[in-house]
Amino acid sequence: MPLLMLDLDNTLVDRDAAFRDAVTAFLAEHHLPATDVTWVMAVDAGGYTARPDVAVAMNDRFRGRAPATAVQALLDRGGADHVVLTDVAREALSRASADGWACVIVTNGRTIQQEAKIFRTGFDRLVQGWVISEKVGFKKPDPKIFHAAADAVGVPLVGAWVIGDSAHADIAGADALGLRSIWCRTAGHGSRLPPAPLTSPRTSPRRSTASSARRNRAGPSRPVPVGALVSDVGCRGEPGGMGVPVSSAHFRSHVAGPRAGKERCLLVVVPAG
């Protein structure tokens, strides 16, 4: 049984959209300018800014207009009460399990917040397990969290795949263990890996993007169309022609430092929308 490790935020669920909805509700509740949602999202940086730092910035900006306890409550929930399970994610995970994959969510974050997302969406019934950084004491890209995911379902890491949106946390983590991966990012969003060198005899960036767009017509462009990704990573662990292979040497030279390696990462660019 091969192992498929999936990121949660902005891969299986649209974390940024959920947090934006929560912030919008917070601003309305405290009669703050709706336009401040853009500022909060910039400070939040997709959840990568430390929560205490976000709290300090928000308390400073909204001092006297919103209590610190309300700001903390917003950050504690983190949009967990606004996340949704898309049909494409549900169908993808159901198909993956039916095809023999052991699906495990591997996510950085607070246990109470991430488990709230998992139970709210019903992922607890769609995957074989999950590993949360706060609970196990290791954060992606630390190899230990991927080992913990494998141990959680009793499946070896050999032949495993990682799917995620973070070059640093997901793809660098997979690369350090010699695992194959699918790096998903939305067109127009920042990336530390230049697109120009991403070519191979089998696929081209033009074909890859078009393929992703065709597969994505049935659902929203965000979160990443995990259904397409799981469908293309067949039971034998071979990609079905989607994505642009990225050599580990090129990946490392821009993200993790130069070292030699073979191709084992697929870049999937999702049309923004």
Side-chain angles (χ1 to χ4, degrees):
M1 176 182 290
L3 178 63
L4 182 61
M5 293 178 283
L6 302 114
D7 174 50
L8 179 62
D9 292 330
N10 290 330
T11 300
L12 285 174
V13 298
D14 193 338
R15 179 265 174 200
D16 287 352
F19 187 63
R20 176 180 287 273
D21 288 345
V23 171
T24 299
F26 167 86
L27 295 174
E29 179 182 354
H30 297 285
H31 309 288
L32 297 167
T35 53
D36 275 359
V37 68
T38 302
W39 177 84
V40 175
M41 295 303 293
V43 171
D44 174 69
Y48 285 100
T49 303
R51 298 301 86 181
D53 293 341
V54 178
V56 168
M58 290 185 66
N59 286 327
D60 183 59
R61 187 177 183 91
F62 303 130
R63 191 177 308 279
R65 296 182 290 166
T69 52
V71 170
Q72 192 59 53
L74 168 69
L75 298 180
D76 285 345
R77 292 193 302 272
D81 47 351
H82 289 270
V83 296
V84 296
L85 171 64
T86 62
D87 289 341
V88 70
R90 180 190 298 107
E91 293 165 5
L93 291 172
S94 296
R95 173 170 177 169
S97 296
D99 285 346
W101 287 95
C103 299
V104 181
I105 294 173
V106 183
T107 179
N108 288 346
R110 299 179 57 199
T111 301
I112 189 170
Q113 189 177 106
Q114 299 304 79
E115 285 194 337
K117 296 173 186 176
I118 290 169
F119 288 115
R120 172 183 170 84
T121 53
F123 282 127
D124 59 305
R125 300 186 297 274
L126 293 169
V127 299
Q128 283 66 57
W130 56 87
V131 174
I132 301 171
S133 62
E134 183 182 66
K135 180 176 287 188
V136 299
F138 310 109
K139 293 178 65 174
K140 295 182 291 184
D142 192 321
K144 295 185 183 69
I145 195 170
F146 297 102
H147 282 287
D151 292 342
V153 292
V155 176
L157 281 174
V158 177
W161 279 76
V162 175
I163 297 178
D165 71 304
S166 171
H168 169 71
D170 302 307
I171 309 309
D175 188 70
L177 287 167
L179 305 178
R180 287 177 289 186
S181 60
I182 295 179
W183 177 24
C184 321
R185 70 182 184 89
T186 303
H189 288 253
S191 165
R192 289 187 289 172
L193 187 62
L198 305 183
T199 58
S200 80
R202 290 180 295 144
T203 56
S204 68
R206 181 182 301 275
R207 178 180 172 186
S208 172
T209 302
S211 176
S212 299
R214 283 195 300 272
R215 288 176 170 85
N216 197 38
R217 284 175 184 165
S221 59
R222 297 194 70 189
V224 165
V226 177
L229 305 184
V230 172
S231 297
D232 276 354
V233 180
C235 218
R236 290 174 296 178
E238 295 299 330
M242 186 190 72
V244 183
V246 182
S247 70
S248 291
H250 179 69
F251 176 83
R252 287 166 176 159
S253 70
H254 291 90
V255 179
R259 284 182 294 164
K262 62 181 181 179
E263 287 185 351
R264 55 174 172 250
C265 173
L266 290 177
L267 170 69
V268 176
V269 179
V270 182

